[in-house]
Amino acid sequence: MTLLALGLNHKTAPIDIRERITFGPDIIAGALRSLTERAGVDEAAILSTCNRTEIYCAMHAPAETGVKTWLSSFHGMEGERVAPYLYAHVDQHAVRHLLQVASGLDSMVLGEPQILGQVKTSFQTACDCGTVGKLLGRLFQHTFSVAKQVRTDTAIGSSPVSVAFAAVSLARQIFSDLTNQTALLVGAGETIELAARHLRQHQLGRIIVANRTIERAHALAEQFNGFAIGLTEIAEHLPEADIVISSTASPLPILGKGTVERALKKRKHRPVFMVDIAVPRDIEPEVGELSDVYLYTVDDLQGVVDEGMRSRQQAAEQAAEIIDVHTEEFMGWLRSLDAVGLIQDYRRRAEEVRDEVLARALRQIEGGKPPADVLGYLAHTLTNKLLHIPSTRLRQAGREGNMELLQAANELLQLSEEAKTAR
């Protein structure tokens, strides 16, 4: 069985590629079923966030090329268009990659905690779709345990650095005092909630939460004494917003250039700070061309994020050591699976020999042969039959000078020095 991690992220692909290679909640179940129908793919899970899309597979045959082809064709793109941005990790490297991702070591924001929840969600989705089996099940559970240890044993998450924090930091540079500002938060996921928390910590004046599901918008707004609206009401309330942070799973932009232009006129061209964290983008890129609009995407936040990275580098090195240990631990378990079938075959052969010799011994007892003689026959015959093939193979290895096999047999059988000397 082979493990494969295939994907692209913020390091390898620009946003216009990443936003085309995404799996929204409405298509991921069908995608997983489609993927596992391909020859060679036994298990699959898909992790799709604003900064990465990754496929994790357990395969009984080499299928990396097939998975690459499937990924591009599923999104209606030519393979040559996507291939330059893809990376692929196999077996041990796939395990290490997932551990690094879940621990926040591969994120735009080093050590950010949101990714672990996203990995758990992707795993649960795959479980619900029936595309996770023994191998990926064990891998993801192992991953969750290691990520927890990294959080506990290192300071990787001690600094409040995240894309949301970076967005708020930029807002504070533009509006030095947030107490009189209004923020419109579009979406109700973890990133938006984190942004709301950071804004509240800096005494933001007012929060408006817009979401497709108004109940979720209300639930989040209540935590911060905010006001909830539906997505259709955004244009009406946009003129009130000094800060706009958007992160939804919408396949199409929510805010267009025309809507923002009309809002700016009502604001008498007071500046608006806008951050589009979504992939695909929630805000049309042309909005950035407007005067009085400061528009940033997730890629633009990289410079801000870098400033907060330095304090986490030492913790990241410690985390990498933990990951190395646990990668080898998982690979040890995976390698042990190769021996399971061999052990089962060996035991089955021994049991067949045992049953055959025992049946003969029982017939001898039924024929009136003394039990002591039958026991002697049983012990002698069983020992000879069990040792015949190994003994023959060891003698052949000796004649051929196959010292590697002889040494392996010595280690396997744990022969004593005295026994070896006696020979």
Side-chain angles (χ1 to χ4, degrees), residues 64-330:
E64 179 182 324
T65 301
V67 175
K68 288 181 178 179
T69 301
W70 174 86
L71 178 62
S72 56
S73 62
F74 186 88
H75 291 285
M77 297 180 68
E78 295 181 357
E80 296 79 5
R81 179 82 173 100
V82 181
Y85 306 105
L86 293 175
Y87 47 80
H89 305 292
V90 177
D91 291 337
Q92 181 175 353
H93 301 291
V95 174
R96 179 178 287 106
H97 180 73
L98 180 56
L99 296 184
Q100 290 173 333
V101 168
S103 300
L105 299 189
D106 196 56
S107 298
M108 177 184 289
V109 182
L110 182 64
E112 57 96 1
Q114 286 76 31
I115 187 63
L116 179 57
Q118 293 165 334
V119 173
K120 289 182 176 180
T121 298
S122 69
F123 172 65
Q124 187 58 56
T125 299
C127 288
D128 293 342
C129 293
T131 60
V132 167
K134 180 179 181 180
L135 194 56
L136 286 189
R138 179 70 175 257
L139 173 59
F140 274 84
Q141 293 298 339
H142 185 70
T143 297
F144 303 149
S145 176
V146 174
K148 181 179 179 181
Q149 181 181 347
V150 168
R151 291 279 160 192
T152 302
D153 295 354
T154 74
I156 193 70
S158 60
S159 301
V161 180
S162 65
V163 171
F165 183 78
V168 174
S169 297
L170 275 175
R172 292 180 64 215
Q173 292 179 28
I174 295 171
F175 307 102
S176 57
D177 182 6
L178 300 183
T179 56
N180 295 317
Q181 310 303 320
T182 294
L184 171 61
L185 307 181
V186 185
E190 289 184 8
T191 301
I192 289 296
E193 181 177 351
L194 189 58
R197 293 189 185 282
H198 288 313
L199 288 167
R200 177 59 67 186
Q201 288 171 3
H202 293 289
Q203 288 78 48
L204 178 77
R206 181 168 172 250
I207 288 178
I208 302 172
V209 179
N211 193 56
R212 191 177 306 278
T213 306
I214 193 66
E215 290 79 11
R216 292 191 64 187
H218 276 300
L220 181 58
E222 286 177 3
Q223 297 182 46
F224 306 100
N225 297 320
F227 178 64
I229 62 174
L231 294 186
T232 56
E233 301 174 82
I234 287 178
E236 177 185 348
H237 292 275
L238 188 57
E240 305 169 34
D242 305 293
I243 299 167
V244 178
I245 301 177
S246 187
S247 178
T248 76
S250 174
L252 298 172
I254 292 173
L255 282 174
K257 184 178 181 181
T259 301
V260 177
E261 278 183 314
R262 288 188 290 273
L264 286 173
K265 289 180 180 178
K266 292 182 179 180
R267 289 176 57 82
K268 302 185 186 304
H269 295 279
R270 284 182 291 118
V272 180
F273 171 65
M274 308 182 83
V275 179
D276 188 354
I277 302 176
V279 177
R281 283 173 277 196
D282 284 341
I283 303 173
E284 288 183 349
E286 292 77 12
V287 170
E289 300 170 2
L290 297 173
S291 299
D292 306 312
V293 172
Y294 300 89
L295 175 61
Y296 292 81
T297 67
V298 287
D299 288 350
D300 297 324
L301 296 179
Q302 184 64 55
V304 180
V305 166
D306 287 343
E307 295 179 10
M309 287 247 195
R310 298 182 184 90
S311 64
R312 298 194 177 192
Q313 290 300 331
Q314 185 175 359
E317 294 174 5
Q318 297 169 347
E321 294 177 2
I322 294 173
I323 286 172
D324 284 343
V325 170
H326 287 286
T327 296
E328 184 54 38
E329 178 184 329
F330 183 84

Side-chain angles (χ1 to χ4, degrees), residues 10-53:
H10 61 284
K11 299 176 183 177
T12 68
I15 191 170
D16 61 317
I17 294 294
R18 298 203 308 273
E19 65 185 359
R20 295 187 64 182
I21 306 294
T22 59
F23 294 89
D26 55 330
I27 65 171
I28 195 165
L32 285 167
R33 286 190 290 269
S34 171
L35 178 56
T36 50
E37 287 171 359
R38 294 193 68 88
V41 178
D42 297 313
E43 306 175 35
I46 297 175
L47 172 64
S48 189
T49 73
C50 61
N51 284 328
R52 72 180 63 246
T53 291

Side-chain angles (χ1 to χ4, degrees), residues 391-407:
S391 298
T392 300
R393 185 67 188 92
L394 287 172
R395 279 194 293 271
Q396 180 182 351
R399 287 194 300 270
E400 296 172 352
N402 189 346
M403 298 306 298
E404 183 177 350
L405 179 57
L406 293 174
Q407 291 170 358

